[in-house]
Structures are given as structure tokens and as C-alpha cells.
Amino acid sequence: MVFTVAIDGPAAAGKGTIGRAVAAHFGFAHLDTGLLYRAVGAKGGDPVAAAEALSPGDLLRDDLRSLGAGQAASRVAVIPEVRAALLAFQRRFARQDGGAVLDGRDIGTVICPDAEVKLFVTASAEVRAHRRWLEVGGDEAQVLAEVRERDARDTGRADAPLKPAPDALLLDTTDLSIDAAVNKAIKAVETGIRQGRA
Ligand code: DC
């Protein structure tokens, strides 16, 4: 069975948690596509060459979750050749047998415009910054400034900017618990499967 769930949204909106939970519930494979850009940013040197040579081992570095790695990822993600180098791998992952969940910024719009289910997970910048601050600590105002900076770069870039696909289900987690958002996401996938899109 080929079945793709595309989850997009800004940093720290909860899309990773929702993606992992949906994948576990249905036994689908899961790819956090942000890790690809984080690994390219962390490699240093020429980002296009780094993206073209990216290997699974590069995704295992333990420094990819830091705020600095997120900023570096957002910077290399504006380069069209970097995005192009990562496209085929993501599409193959999405159409593998057994179902797949991908989360990122452009999954429903560019990578998998034909995904059977599309979700756009968002929340206010303040709530997202607070969640990220609980994970990483430090100065909360600084975390909020970095979230805003990354939002501006990810939504403002010319190539594959962050935006909801027209047919995406919007999940705003500002006032919705992650458990409630996971339940809504699971319902949307069940509906997609029932409607014979699998
Ligand atoms: O989801 P994340 O915070 O790990 O993503 C890090 C950066 O990578 C994000 O700020 C923009 C970029 N990114 C992207 O451009 N497209 C994706 N599909 C995923 C991430």
C-alpha cells in the first residue's frame, strides 16, 4: 500500500510529535525532513556539495537538534540547488510500500502535492518559543527572537516557502493539547484510508 501523510508547519508547532505518533499508530515509516537540512547545515563547507553527498550516517550526529543547527538549516534551505538535491530521496521515501509520514515545510506543496492526507500544524510564535525553551533552556526572549527569525526566512524565501497546501487540514496547537492534535490527525488519516485513497 502506498499512502503518504504530509505534515507541514513552522518550527516547534508539534509536527514532529504528531508525525511520529501518526506513523506509530498506522505502522507507517516516518521522516523528519528538517533533519536533512540540519545535517547539510552542520556539515559546513559548500552546502550544495554537502546536500549532494548526504548519507544516512550524517543524520545521526547528536548536535542536530540545537538552536544553532536549526538556524544553519534554515539558511541552507533557501538555496534552490540544496532543495533540489534532497528532493528525489524525499519523494522515494514518501511512495515506499507500507505508508509514510513526512514532516517539514514544503511536503504538501512541493515534495508530495498528491499526498493522500495533508496537515498544516501551527501555533502562535510565543507558544512555540515557550515549548522550545522548555527543551533547550537559556533565555526565553532569545528563543522567541530566533523562532521569529526562522519563521520569516522559511515563509519569505522564493523557493518552496512555508505555506499550507490549499487542501491541508489546519491544526492550530496554540490552545489544543498535542494529544488532541494527534487524535485529530489520526481521524484525518482514517478518513483518507476509508475514502479509498489507499
Ligand atoms: O523542522 P526543523 O525545525 O528541524 O527544520 C529546520 C529548518 O530546515 C527549517 O527552519 C527550514 C528547513 N526545512 C525546509 O526548508 N524544508 C523542510 N521540508 C524541512 C525543513
Side-chain angles (χ1 to χ4, degrees):
M1 175 191 72
V2 170
F3 192 95
T4 307
V5 182
I7 306 181
D8 292 304
K15 56 190 190 306
T17 309
I18 293 169
R20 273 190 300 279
V22 167
H25 184 88
F26 292 98
F28 293 173
H30 174 239
L31 179 66
D32 167 2
T33 64
L35 266 190
L36 304 176
Y37 295 91
R38 285 171 182 261
V40 170
K43 270 184 139 186
D46 172 23
V48 178
E52 284 168 351
L54 201 68
S55 70
D58 294 328
L59 306 182
L60 302 175
R61 291 174 61 135
D62 55 14
D63 56 354
L64 295 183
R65 301 274 173 202
S66 70
L67 288 180
Q71 289 288 0
S74 172
R75 274 188 226 108
V76 298
V78 305
I79 304 168
E81 293 83 0
V82 165
R83 308 198 69 81
L86 302 176
L87 188 120
F89 170 74
Q90 294 175 81
R91 286 208 176 133
R92 263 199 316 278
F93 189 96
R95 302 317 276 171
Q96 68 184 283
D97 195 29
V101 180
L102 288 85
D103 69 75
R105 303 289 187 290
D106 62 340
I107 308 303
T109 50
V110 173
I111 304 294
C112 304
D114 297 329
E116 283 75 10
V117 174
K118 296 179 190 173
L119 307 173
F120 193 84
V121 183
T122 189
S124 73
E126 289 76 11
V127 164
R128 289 184 288 117
H130 186 68
R131 287 185 195 143
R132 191 44 58 89
W133 173 75
L134 289 175
E135 286 168 15
V136 299
D139 176 2
E140 189 170 350
Q142 176 66 25
V143 176
L144 176 58
E146 295 206 15
V147 161
R148 289 211 164 106
E149 189 187 326
R150 209 134 71 84
D151 284 356
R153 203 184 293 114
D154 294 348
T155 55
R157 69 183 176 219
D159 191 21
L162 169 67
K163 63 174 178 202
D167 51 348
L169 171 69
L170 190 71
L171 289 178
D172 187 333
T173 65
T174 306
D175 298 312
L176 193 67
S177 72
I178 292 293
D179 280 354
V182 165
N183 283 336
K184 282 184 185 252
I186 287 173
K187 292 247 153 43
V189 175
E190 280 170 349
T191 304
I193 292 173
R194 252 202 323 278
Q195 286 174 346
R197 289 192 232 144

